[in-house]
Amino acid sequence: MDSRACDIARMPRGGPDASWLDRRLQTDRLEYLDRDDVDDLKQKVMDSLDRAGRRRWIGIHEKCARIAIREVADVPSPKILELGAGLGGLSRRLLERHPTAQVTVTDIDPAFVAGMAAGDLGSHPRAVVREMDATEIDSTDGYYDLAVFALSLHHLSPELAAQVFAAGTRAAKKLLIVDLPRPPAPLHIVLLAVVLPLIKFSPLQHDGFISSLRAYSPSALRALGHHADPKITVEFRTKRGLSPTVAVARRA
């Protein structure tokens, strides 16, 4: 491994400029979603996330769909690629909200892909369901107007996350990243303390606690993009805080 790869592998989730405290608020522990030995718990987390995404008072799918559609507002019939689609909730909202969008719905998990293909997405005239690795996108350069990777980047190590930036900005004109925020360290400690008592009783809270420790900061996302290709620029649509991180990467 060359020195550049070693540097990105060791990069804290808080970014190269992370404070001493922030560097300690991270973990390599896997979420249930990342494990292959807890299928029941994994399914419970996915179902909980999907329900939360569909609820009006949370509406993650709806919010992400609106963000994505704004990024292709000037394209009459945009080609949109969703990476890490899970159960397909976001892609459904994209198809509902944009009457001419063509959506390629993908996930690396064969079971999730089979479930989506057997349902409404599999028969939708403007949707294609495929198994795909977000780090190795199978398409020609610039084929998609937008690639969307929502609430998934924190699952990946820095090396793999950088590959998503490389692949996403090659296959699409823009790569939209929506993910959990990484709050300033003192606030982060308070939030973790609130959730900690719940992780033994709720699979969703268990994964949420770990996700928070694995979330990337804005400076980390910039470093990942630069590592993937110095020509990649990363712009942020939100400020650092408790709102989800929304970043758009593209090649200059």
Side-chain angles (χ1 to χ4, degrees):
M1 184 180 292
D2 60 34
S3 59
R4 186 166 170 262
C6 285
D7 288 344
I8 202 67
R10 292 194 297 260
M11 184 191 72
R13 298 288 174 133
D17 58 349
S19 67
W20 176 89
L21 180 58
D22 197 4
R23 289 168 185 261
R24 279 147 185 81
L25 295 175
Q26 65 180 58
T27 183
D28 292 326
R29 185 173 180 178
L30 297 179
E31 302 175 37
Y32 291 139
L33 284 179
D34 299 318
R35 293 167 56 181
D36 296 324
D37 60 335
V38 286
D39 288 347
D40 183 54
L41 292 171
K42 187 174 184 177
Q43 189 61 50
K44 286 181 179 179
V45 174
M46 281 303 305
D47 291 342
S48 295
L49 289 171
D50 189 58
R51 285 194 299 271
R54 289 185 278 110
R55 287 173 182 165
R56 290 186 178 183
W57 62 279
I58 300 178
I60 296 299
H61 298 331
E62 175 68 20
K63 291 175 183 176
C64 289
R66 289 181 179 178
I67 293 168
I69 289 171
R70 281 199 294 268
E71 295 298 328
V72 292
D74 58 340
V75 183
S77 299
K79 295 184 179 69
I80 301 175
L81 168 66
E82 187 187 1
L83 303 162
L87 301 183
L90 171 54
S91 285
R92 290 187 182 89
R93 294 303 296 150
L94 287 170
L95 291 164
E96 291 170 4
R97 291 192 60 82
H98 200 303
T100 59
Q102 302 173 51
V103 181
T104 301
V105 195
T106 72
D107 199 278
I108 195 173
D109 190 311
F112 293 157
V113 174
M116 291 187 291
D120 57 321
L121 287 172
S123 60
H124 197 289
R126 290 185 286 114
V128 175
V129 178
R130 293 187 56 193
E131 183 178 336
M132 188 181 292
D133 187 334
T135 68
E136 298 179 3
I137 299 173
D138 179 17
S139 79
T140 56
D141 292 0
Y143 177 79
Y144 296 100
D145 297 292
L146 182 71
V148 184
F149 199 41
L151 303 177
S152 296
L153 193 73
H154 64 274
H155 290 283
L156 304 181
S157 67
E159 304 100 308
L160 292 176
Q163 290 178 37
V164 172
F165 275 86
T169 57
R170 179 200 62 77
K173 298 176 179 69
K174 295 180 183 179
L175 169 64
L176 173 64
I177 300 289
V178 182
D179 210 352
L180 299 176
R182 187 173 187 86
L187 177 58
H188 201 175
I189 289 176
V190 174
L191 296 174
L192 291 170
V194 171
V195 176
L196 183 59
L198 305 175
I199 64 174
K200 291 184 178 181
F201 307 102
S202 168
L204 181 62
Q205 294 297 341
H206 170 277
D207 273 21
F209 185 88
I210 296 174
S211 294
S212 182
L213 292 170
R214 293 174 65 90
Y216 289 105
S217 72
S219 68
L221 295 179
R222 288 193 183 95
L224 291 170
H226 184 79
H227 177 83
D229 190 328
K231 294 181 180 179
I232 293 176
T233 62
V234 182
E235 301 174 354
F236 294 92
R237 302 296 191 245
T238 53
K239 296 182 179 180
R240 189 176 183 187
L242 296 181
S243 299
T245 298
V246 179
V248 176
R250 71 185 91 192
R251 294 179 186 263

